[in-house]
Amino acid sequence: DFLRHAAEQFGFVPRRPPSELDFKRAYAEAAINALLTREQVVGIYVLETGGDGAHDTQAGFPGPERPAISPALGYNQLLSTTTIGLVAEHGERLREILADRAQGLHGEAEQETQQRIAALERMVDFSRSVPFQWGEHDRLAKTTAGGMGIHAVLLDVDLGPWLQARILAGSVRYARNQGFGGTLTPAELQLLNLTGPANGADMVMMPPELRQQVPTANFFQRAGYERNPIAQRTEVVSGLIDHIEERMRHGAQAQGAQRLAAVFDEVRAAGRQR
């Protein structure tokens, strides 16, 4: 549905990666440029995809007999509402990414990239057709074909990694602006990714003794809490953090997580050599 509406409404067809490893490499490059750590990146990937998910993994790991539980998509499991906000806010930067790729291309490859640029511009215009508010973006995402189509940018190997790294970097920056010092652990960053920057920062900056008392449910909307198995298994904030850390430790042994960690190191080493 995301791909169909993207093509029908905007003429946008994402450039899919030749292999999953190519998407991981692009994601590692975007994450390093956004000053994210390997531990943060791998930890979020593990928590959101089980440690072996593909770039087009959707919430609930759907199969023929198991429908998705939400539009959440990708290594970070971004909601379609979030994607619309990112496209609206960073449209110019996304266009620059594609324009840079077009440099040096010829023939069919150049034409395809120019078509994506034109389609992206239409998507940006659509995302900006409403006030920059979560409720307005949510309405577009859930009630319009165009809003559903914009979510397909996450499947593009040039744009998807940048958008997913950007949302994590935004959470890091938010916590820092709220007075958090040091580096967020993967579990702490996941709190911001899971519940939103404001709720996550409240939990991260909470004194340890309060973490053992404050209910986890306080930081979720009811519907989100009821469909989130991680949150439901924990009564208080400290339990939620402990459970996330345990899931991350266990999932880090999965093949996908191991490959992402290795690619991250390779990209970082290549950057240092340059």
Side-chain angles (χ1 to χ4, degrees):
D1 290 336
F2 300 144
L3 292 167
R4 175 169 57 84
H5 288 305
E8 291 177 353
Q9 300 297 315
F10 307 108
F12 181 81
V13 178
R15 186 172 81 90
R16 305 298 291 273
S19 71
E20 195 62 32
L21 194 60
D22 289 291
F23 198 94
K24 283 182 168 61
R25 185 169 290 107
Y27 183 58
E29 291 174 354
I32 290 170
N33 289 336
L35 304 181
L36 297 168
T37 70
R38 180 186 64 175
E39 291 71 25
Q40 289 172 335
V41 166
V42 175
I44 297 295
Y45 170 78
V46 165
L47 225 292
E48 298 292 357
T49 74
D52 211 14
H55 71 285
D56 57 356
T57 296
Q58 194 175 348
F61 309 103
E65 70 293 333
R66 185 178 180 185
I69 61 175
S70 89
L73 189 65
Y75 289 174
N76 296 1
Q77 291 290 279
L78 298 191
L79 294 171
S80 51
T81 305
T82 303
T83 303
I84 290 174
L86 288 169
V87 170
E89 183 177 4
H90 303 291
E92 286 74 19
R93 177 63 186 125
L94 296 174
R95 189 190 187 286
E96 289 176 2
I97 291 172
L98 294 186
D100 289 343
R101 170 169 172 72
Q103 296 295 319
L105 295 178
H106 302 283
E108 186 176 336
E110 180 185 17
Q111 183 180 9
E112 179 267 341
T113 303
Q114 292 298 337
Q115 289 174 345
R116 278 197 297 150
I117 291 174
L120 175 66
E121 290 174 344
R122 290 189 286 271
M123 297 168 90
V124 172
D125 288 343
F126 182 82
S127 70
R128 293 175 176 174
S129 65
V130 298
F132 192 86
Q133 298 171 359
W134 176 268
E136 293 293 333
H137 295 160
D138 197 48
R139 180 181 63 80
L140 289 185
K142 293 178 178 177
T143 67
T144 69
M148 186 175 289
I150 285 178
H151 208 32
V153 296
L154 293 184
L155 303 176
D156 188 288
V157 69
D158 298 313
L159 303 177
W162 189 91
L163 288 165
Q164 293 184 68
R166 181 71 188 188
I167 199 69
L168 294 181
S171 292
V172 171
R173 185 169 58 254
Y174 181 89
R176 187 180 301 120
N177 290 341
Q178 297 304 304
F180 180 83
T183 302
L184 289 169
T185 68
E188 289 172 338
L189 180 55
Q190 175 61 17
L191 291 179
L192 279 76
N193 192 52
L194 181 67
T195 65
N199 284 335
D202 284 346
M203 286 188 277
V204 166
M205 300 178 69
M206 188 181 296
E209 60 273 16
L210 285 183
R211 288 184 178 183
Q212 299 176 16
Q213 302 175 31
V214 177
T216 300
N218 286 11
F219 299 93
F220 290 82
Q221 292 183 350
R222 180 173 180 176
Y225 178 80
E226 290 178 345
R227 69 169 178 254
N228 191 304
I230 296 177
Q232 284 185 330
R233 292 194 186 103
T234 59
E235 295 183 358
V236 294
V237 171
S238 62
L240 176 60
I241 295 174
D242 291 344
H243 188 60
I244 289 174
E245 290 178 341
E246 176 58 29
R247 289 278 296 272
M248 286 181 173
R249 281 193 297 269
H250 179 73
Q253 305 307 312
Q255 186 179 60
Q258 292 286 318
R259 286 180 175 174
L260 179 57
V263 167
F264 193 101
D265 287 341
E266 291 171 7
V267 172
R268 184 168 53 187
R272 287 173 178 170
Q273 291 174 359
R274 288 196 297 269

